[in-house]
């Protein structure tokens, strides 16, 4: 059997893997990243919306090669058709071409010294005396034993690396948003505005999005939970009324359970979707993944330099990412649980309230008066407080 030796092996070559390997390689350790697909970044499983701070975390200037549109606003569309302007952070970003971005990120990592093997699937972990010591991979029919001091799993929602390492990954099927998306041509949309649509008929337990990519092109997708119908059925229903045509279909799942409880063990770290590091309200995982993967790469390199791969040392990865984004993700889990209880009437009532109020000058009394008329919302507000 072919044998390779590295300080760090990263499994998965999209944003989590490339970021972890980039920051480990920057710290001057020997890194190999393996990706099971033949091309990094393809197929896309993403609406491709990113916030500007993603590039600050990466310390990379965003490139015109992958920026498709700059976003200056967003609209939330309630089930009854009311349109509410939304100014949160997601409305200050860009829609990118992830096929180009993901590959360029891998190229950055390679330039920093990472070796990359595509069409190489991690099949198993090598575990000795309860420490992860590498992976068994398959490349074009050949089995390869890759020894490493630290393995970083960035293998996405379908991850089995973390489970093999004995880490509990609680992706309960009810807490996975199943998504379908077309890239559509001929869309009559504002190139700087994101659109979100809510409602039982359009996207039960989730939402429908339209993310513009310029030149009349847009990603039109649906994410749903708890439905007997599939996401693609909801998507097809919606696009059948559009005078536009698809050029690409993407299917994928988003974990909305919140992060897993433990993201390290002896010789092993897990990042990104595989660790549930995704905002459970928006489903946005690019920036949380990159933030955590950067920390994982840096800590893995420190472990190599200190010759200490123990769980005790590697838990500083868990502590650091928790300090950076743990509270925000926990808060989002709480809001997602509340949002799960909203029905169409509640959403319409909320939209009407927001539409008719000056939100900057809103008083406690007007909120209480409003929820007083809507028992379900009153119950939710009480739970929140
Ligand atoms: C439909 C959809 C829309 C989304 N829209 C957005 C959005 O607009 N904005 C946003 O911020 N987030 C969005 N997300 C979430 C975002 O795409 C993910 O959070 C992010 O890509 C996670 O990155 P990752 O590197 O952890 O995992 P992934 O992107 O899933 O990458 C995992 C990689 O590991 C590889 N792999 C898996 N198993 C193995 C193995 N055994 N051996 C080798 N390689 C392996 C896979 O081939 C893949 O390339 C969306 C997700 C979906 C599904």
């Amino acid at each position: 059997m072919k044998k390779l030796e590295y300080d760090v092996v990263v499994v998965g070559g999209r944003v989590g893997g490339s970021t972890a390997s980039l920051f480990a390689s920057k710290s001057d350790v020997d890194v190999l990243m393996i990706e099971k697909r033949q091309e990094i970044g393809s197929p896309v499983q993403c609406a491709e919306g990113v916030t500007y701070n993603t590039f600050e975390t990466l310390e990379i200037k965003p490139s015109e090669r992958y920026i498709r549109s700059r976003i200056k606003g967003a609209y939330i569309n309630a089930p009854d058709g009311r349109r509410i302007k939304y100014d949160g952070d997601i409305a200050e970003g860009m829609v990118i071409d992830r096929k180009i971005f993901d590959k360029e990120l891998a190229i950055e990592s390679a330039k920093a010294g990472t070796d990359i093997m595509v069409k190489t699937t991690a099949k198993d972990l090598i575990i000795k005396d309860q420490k992860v010591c590498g992976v068994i991979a398959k490349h074009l029919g050949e089995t390869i034993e890759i020894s490493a001091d630290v393995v970083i799993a960035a293998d996405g929602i379908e991850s089995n690396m973390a489970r093999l390492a004995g880490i509990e990954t609680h992706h309960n099927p009810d807490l996975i948003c199943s998504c379908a998306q077309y890239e559509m041509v001929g869309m009559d949309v504002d190139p700087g505005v994101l659109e979100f649509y809510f409602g039982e008929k359009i996207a039960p337990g989730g939402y429908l999005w339209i993310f513009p990519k310029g030149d009349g092109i847009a990603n039109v997708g649906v994410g749903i939970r708890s439905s007997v119908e599939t996401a693609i059925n909801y998507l097809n229903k919606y696009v059948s009324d559009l005078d536009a045509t698809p050029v690409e279909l993407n299917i994928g799942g988003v974990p909305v359970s919140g992060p897993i409880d433990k993201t390290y063990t002896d010789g092993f770290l897990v990042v990104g979707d595989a660790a549930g590091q995704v905002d459970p309200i928006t489903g946005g995982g690019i920036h949380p993944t990159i933030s955590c993967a950067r920390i994982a790469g840096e800590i893995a390199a420190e472990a190599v330099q200190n010759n200490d791969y123990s769980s005790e040392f590697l838990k500083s990865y868990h502590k650091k990412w928790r300090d950076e984004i743990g509270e925000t993700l926990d808060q989002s889990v709480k809001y997602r649980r509340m949002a799960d209880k909203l029905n169409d009437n509640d959403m319409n009532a909320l939209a009407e309230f927001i539409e008719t109020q000056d939100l900057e000058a809103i008083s406690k009394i007007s909120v209480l008066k409003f929820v007083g008329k809507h028992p379900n919302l009153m119950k939710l507000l009480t739970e929140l407080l």
Side-chain angles (χ1 to χ4, degrees):
M1 192 192 306
K2 186 172 169 184
K3 293 190 180 187
L4 296 172
E5 258 179 57
Y6 280 87
D7 295 326
V8 178
V9 171
V10 178
V11 179
R14 283 210 277 229
V15 286
S18 288
T19 306
S21 59
L22 169 65
F23 283 91
S25 284
K26 275 187 179 183
S27 307
D28 214 19
V29 294
D30 280 342
V31 184
L32 172 69
M33 178 169 85
I34 62 172
E35 166 55 53
K36 73 176 181 185
R37 308 264 185 193
Q38 65 199 47
E39 184 179 20
I40 286 185
S42 197
V44 170
Q45 286 169 311
C46 187
E48 304 177 296
V50 288
T51 45
Y52 286 115
N53 56 3
T54 303
F55 297 92
E56 286 161 22
T57 306
L58 283 169
E59 297 175 11
I60 286 174
K61 191 171 168 285
S63 160
E64 294 303 325
R65 286 187 296 276
Y66 47 76
I67 299 173
R68 294 294 298 268
S69 69
R70 285 181 163 69
I71 299 305
K72 54 184 180 343
Y75 280 93
I76 311 265
N77 296 271
D80 65 1
R82 270 173 222 274
R83 258 162 86 71
I84 307 291
K85 192 162 181 353
Y86 173 74
D87 294 317
D89 63 351
I90 199 164
E92 282 174 21
M94 319 175 231
V95 180
I96 58 171
D97 187 325
R98 274 200 66 181
K99 277 189 204 123
I100 301 175
F101 170 69
D102 284 21
K103 203 189 266 186
E104 291 217 357
L105 195 53
I107 290 169
E108 279 297 316
S109 179
K111 283 183 181 165
T114 303
D115 287 343
I116 299 175
M117 289 178 73
V118 289
K119 203 95 181 118
T120 305
T121 306
K123 291 285 183 189
D124 206 351
L125 290 173
I126 305 168
I127 300 178
K128 289 182 194 149
D129 298 328
Q130 296 182 325
K131 180 203 171 283
V132 176
C133 299
V135 299
I136 303 291
K138 207 136 200 183
H139 172 69
L140 300 174
E142 185 183 23
T143 302
I144 312 171
E145 187 183 298
I146 310 165
S147 329
D149 297 322
V150 183
V151 173
I152 301 177
D155 50 341
I157 195 169
E158 58 202 285
S159 170
N160 67 342
M161 291 295 114
R163 252 189 321 270
L164 289 171
I167 287 178
E168 178 83 17
T169 52
H170 50 72
H171 294 321
N172 172 334
D174 286 351
L175 292 173
I176 292 179
C177 201
S178 72
C179 307
Q181 172 181 276
Y182 286 126
E183 185 179 25
M184 306 278 298
V185 181
M187 294 289 294
D188 181 16
V189 288
D190 181 332
V193 172
L194 305 178
E195 297 277 355
F196 298 91
Y197 293 83
F198 290 84
E200 275 300 309
K201 287 203 179 113
I202 211 156
Y207 61 84
L208 181 144
W209 64 85
I210 301 178
F211 283 14
K213 297 174 89 174
D215 204 19
I217 300 170
N219 288 332
V220 183
V222 175
I224 58 161
R225 283 166 50 221
S226 58
S227 166
V228 282
E229 271 191 69
T230 58
I232 187 77
N233 284 350
Y234 284 96
L235 180 60
N236 282 337
K237 248 187 262 171
Y238 183 81
V239 301
S240 64
D241 289 338
L242 301 178
D243 187 16
T245 190
V247 287
E248 188 169 324
L249 168 65
N250 306 122
I251 305 281
V254 179
V256 292
S257 48
I260 59 175
D261 296 335
K262 190 178 171 206
T263 53
Y264 61 94
T265 185
D266 293 289
F268 185 87
L269 302 172
V270 54
V271 304
D273 277 13
Q277 290 159 339
V278 176
D279 184 311
I281 279 278
T282 62
I286 300 173
H287 188 238
T289 292
I290 284 174
S291 302
C292 299
R294 175 184 171 150
I295 299 168
E298 289 170 341
I299 295 290
E302 265 181 53
V304 173
Q305 281 145 1
N306 287 298
N307 205 16
D308 185 351
Y309 323 106
S310 64
S311 175
E312 196 49 34
F313 186 91
L314 293 176
K315 82 172 176 205
S316 59
Y317 156 63
H318 189 85
K319 183 175 178 331
K320 278 196 176 176
W321 77 254
R322 289 276 337 154
D323 287 349
E324 228 171 78
I325 61 163
E327 211 172 297
T328 311
L329 293 184
D330 291 348
Q331 193 70 9
S332 248
V333 171
K334 214 164 142 187
Y335 292 145
R336 199 262 305 138
R337 286 198 187 117
M338 279 186 63
D340 283 352
K341 294 179 187 160
L342 294 176
N343 59 36
D344 281 7
N345 289 337
D346 299 328
M347 283 193 257
N348 291 334
L350 272 171
E352 186 184 356
F353 180 67
I354 293 167
E355 199 177 53
T356 52
Q357 297 287 318
D358 172 3
L359 292 182
E360 309 246 312
I362 206 155
S363 69
K364 263 190 197 158
I365 296 191
S366 55
V367 173
L368 286 173
K369 251 189 185 166
F370 163 68
V371 291
K373 285 190 239 152
H374 300 278
N376 195 28
L377 293 176
M378 175 63 104
K379 206 167 138 227
L380 291 177
L381 183 66
T382 319
E383 276 172 32
L384 184 68
L385 300 174

